[in-house]
Amino acid sequence: MKIRIRLLGVLAVGLAVGGCSFAYVKPVSINGSRCSHSQALPTVDGLIATGQAVGMIYYATASDATFRGTPFSRGGAVALDGVAAGLFVASAIYGGTQVSDCREAYPHDVEPVVERRSRRRPPPPPLWTPPPPPLWTPPPAPAVSAPTPADAGTSDGAPTPDADVVAPPPPPPRPAAPPVRQRADDE
């Protein structure tokens, strides 16, 4: 019972407003005042008309016990929802045509589409990362090739100056330890 009274109150307010597009959509005018570019109000009217049509179907298929003790009969409730649905459909059509005319007359006034930021979180960091490369790497060692019999040089076994054999550099000398003073027998 309370739900029906609330529904009737909403219906009465909807009929009093007469459709959002009829009340608030600004048509194209000759004097150049700003007209409505948004399809929001015709969409709201379409949604309300859909709700009224669903209510009309509900009341048409409801049992007689549903209407006992209410001020409306089945036919009255269906007719009232039908009238409200028709009013909001007409309002949605009116608003849609006025917005289309406005967009056609003033295409440069269309508000730019605001790009939405992604609400996704960034991916979590990896569980393991490889270690960074070393800051310094030693230079590569020079390649040393072994002498071949053809490179042996002269018949006496001495290498020729044209040999491709590169001898490795001699190792650096070891630092000598400081001399240790020997003690004499009398000390």
Side-chain angles (χ1 to χ4, degrees):
M1 180 70 176
K2 291 180 183 179
I3 294 174
R4 289 187 203 128
I5 293 173
R6 288 181 188 161
L7 288 174
L8 290 174
V10 169
L11 179 64
V13 169
L15 288 173
V17 170
C20 298
S21 294
F22 282 142
Y24 299 111
V25 170
K26 296 178 186 173
V28 177
S29 64
I30 298 173
N31 64 2
S33 65
R34 186 158 174 91
C35 54
S36 298
H37 278 87
S38 174
Q39 287 284 355
L41 294 176
T43 302
V44 168
D45 284 337
L47 292 173
I48 293 173
T50 303
Q52 295 296 332
V54 168
M56 187 173 69
I57 293 169
Y58 170 76
Y59 289 136
T61 59
S63 66
D64 289 334
T66 306
F67 295 102
R68 280 193 204 122
T70 62
F72 293 103
S73 65
R74 177 193 316 265
V78 170
L80 192 59
D81 273 350
V83 168
L87 181 66
F88 281 103
V89 165
S91 179
I93 292 171
Y94 169 78
T97 57
Q98 293 303 319
V99 168
S100 295
D101 291 346
C102 182
R103 287 182 175 182
E104 186 177 314
Y106 300 104
H108 60 280
D109 286 347
V110 176
E111 293 133 9
V113 176
V114 177
E115 187 174 321
R116 289 185 166 193
R117 293 186 325 189
S118 174
R119 293 184 183 216
R120 288 190 212 164
R121 293 183 182 169
L127 297 175
W128 178 82
T129 55
L135 296 176
W136 180 82
T137 56
V144 178
S145 61
T148 61
D151 292 336
T154 61
S155 59
D156 62 350
T160 60
D162 297 345
D164 291 335
V165 178
V166 177
R174 292 186 180 203
V180 178
R181 187 171 151 248
Q182 300 265 335
R183 284 197 291 163
D185 291 331
D186 56 349
E187 290 183 24

